[in-house]
Amino acid sequence: MKLKHIISSKQFEKSFIRSIFEKADQIKSGRYNKNILAGRIMATLFYEPSTRTRFSFESAMQRLGGSVISTENAYQFSSAAKGETIEDTIRIVSSYSDVIVLRHDTLGASQVAASLSKVPVINAGDGNGEHPTQALLDLYTIFSKFKTPDFTVIMIGDLLNGRTIHSLSYLLSLYPKIKIIFVSPKALAIPKTLKSHLIATKIDFTETEDFDFALKKADVIYQTRIQKERFKTKNDYKKYFGRFIIDESTLQKIKPRSIIMHPLPRINEIAPSVDSDPRALYFQQAANGVYIRMALLLYLLGPKNQ
Ligand code: NCD
């Protein structure tokens, strides 16, 4: 069944993922019609800060010949500042555009938006919920190095609030041979709903605070930042900040063929001295965002069989 909205990684089936990745490969090699979405309009409505997600979506739309209307600080620059509800904003913007890319601070906001919108809604991050298009580009990056889905992924950081962690975990759970090791302070462990899902899908996963143990086992090292904006007080945040850091000493401990990823932005979790190591893939990962988002826009808006 064709998806109308992209809200959660739980919507994705293997066949869908395969077709998006094939399309992304084709786009990456330059084989695509640069005007295929001419006359179509994408609205990007961002209520939380973003660099990669918004720019890569906008770049993707424009590379396909479409155009963009945008508000990058919607609480300040849209009618939200006057007190308009997200519901009303979505009703209006969906009559001005052919697809809406929404980032919001409230969990479930894109689900609400999808229920009101006349056009497809793409969840570009809903609070501490999900970030499904990030998960697709993450998996695409992983598969560019590991061709068969039989490896160990370690995810590090604020696993409770990190929406990229949630979406990537749901996606990985489609592949029964993949093992996951979650590394976090106990208070920032994965949410219960995700844990129940992983148990139900019988994925081999472990939760630990032992960073070194996990690093030695890892094929994919997925580092994330502590999600400062989700903490009630600065002190709460400070308790966890700087706990798990990847630096030059880490490079001695990890497998020679492992890869280091990060959805970015990084604060201090990966030292800049790691960037030149061939295993550091995070900038390539961010670049892949454009190809994946082009493939997704074609899927949602392109002519049939695209
Ligand atoms: C992430 C996000 O916004 O969830 N960034 C991104 O989209 N690449 C990760 C983060 O902010 O920590």
Side-chain angles (χ1 to χ4, degrees):
M1 209 181 63
K2 189 163 163 119
L3 301 176
K4 174 156 191 213
H5 306 282
I6 308 287
I7 306 298
S8 160
S9 281
K10 282 180 264 185
Q11 293 172 283
F12 304 149
E13 291 173 358
K14 277 186 189 166
S15 56
F16 167 85
I17 296 167
R18 220 175 295 123
S19 73
I20 293 292
F21 289 2
E22 274 166 20
K23 185 51 88 183
D25 280 343
Q26 194 187 322
I27 291 167
K28 198 169 181 173
S29 69
R31 286 176 290 127
Y32 66 96
N33 177 341
K34 297 180 178 54
N35 271 313
I36 198 159
L37 295 187
R40 315 304 291 279
I41 298 174
M42 179 181 78
T44 48
L45 257 178
F46 276 57
Y47 292 79
E48 278 194 339
S50 167
T51 301
R52 277 148 293 274
T53 306
R54 191 169 65 88
F55 280 146
S56 64
F57 261 114
E58 295 188 356
S59 168
M61 188 61 174
Q62 297 195 33
R63 284 180 193 278
L64 293 166
S67 48
V68 176
I69 54 175
S70 177
T71 174
E72 94 274 27
N73 182 353
Y75 276 120
Q76 199 182 339
F77 296 139
S78 78
S79 286
K82 301 179 187 169
E84 185 170 66
T85 61
I86 173 87
E87 284 86 353
D88 279 0
T89 304
I90 293 295
R91 284 187 187 102
I92 303 304
V93 175
S94 79
S95 59
Y96 295 166
S97 59
D98 300 296
V99 58
I100 296 175
V101 181
L102 175 70
R103 170 167 288 188
H104 203 275
D105 52 321
T106 309
L107 176 77
S110 33
Q111 187 62 62
V112 172
S115 70
L116 296 165
S117 173
K118 294 185 268 231
V119 300
V121 171
I122 303 177
N123 178 5
D126 62 329
N128 60 2
E130 280 211 54
H131 194 352
T133 66
Q134 176 74 38
L136 285 172
L137 76 90
D138 291 341
L139 191 62
Y140 180 69
T141 308
I142 295 172
F143 282 177
S144 73
K145 294 289 168 186
F146 297 99
K147 304 288 174 210
T148 36
D150 181 1
F151 43 77
T152 298
V153 181
I154 71 167
M155 299 196 208
I156 310 133
D158 184 353
L159 311 180
L160 178 65
N161 297 304
R163 55 199 174 200
T164 69
I165 295 284
H166 307 160
S167 286
L168 182 57
S169 301
Y170 286 123
L171 207 53
L172 294 176
S173 73
L174 289 172
Y175 304 89
K177 287 192 176 156
I178 291 181
K179 298 183 186 67
I180 310 178
I181 304 175
F182 294 106
V183 185
S184 74
K186 276 209 174 67
L188 302 182
I190 52 166
K192 281 200 186 84
T193 43
L194 172 57
K195 195 165 171 173
S196 314
H197 174 89
L198 295 174
I199 293 168
T201 50
K202 299 197 170 69
I203 285 297
D204 181 341
F205 75 97
T206 317
E207 295 178 273
T208 180
E209 292 189 70
D210 189 344
F211 194 25
D212 276 1
F213 154 82
L215 281 171
K216 284 183 196 123
K217 301 231 172 215
D219 298 302
V220 177
I221 299 163
Y222 192 92
Q223 174 70 304
T224 63
R225 77 183 166 94
I226 304 297
Q227 305 281 301
K228 186 180 181 182
E229 62 276 37
R230 312 285 174 224
F231 288 83
K232 288 206 179 81
T233 68
K234 253 200 191 132
N235 272 347
D236 280 351
Y237 168 66
K238 277 194 192 145
K239 260 194 267 174
Y240 306 113
F241 181 72
R243 191 86 176 256
F244 303 112
I245 290 186
I246 296 177
D247 57 19
E248 273 167 282
S249 71
T250 318
L251 297 175
Q252 315 305 319
K253 297 176 197 158
I254 62 177
K255 293 186 191 177
R257 288 179 163 273
S258 57
I259 58 174
I260 305 169
M261 299 177 65
H262 193 308
L264 303 176
R266 68 171 151 185
I267 313 305
N268 68 340
E269 316 81 47
I270 301 183
S273 54
V274 174
D275 298 356
S276 55
D277 191 281
R279 292 167 289 188
L281 238 62
Y282 28 94
F283 296 124
Q284 206 171 307
Q285 180 186 352
N288 284 338
V290 176
Y291 310 123
I292 287 294
R293 288 170 175 135
M294 286 171 80
L296 280 170
L297 290 171
L298 278 177
Y299 172 84
L300 293 172
L301 301 179
K304 279 208 180 85
N305 306 320
Q306 277 295 323

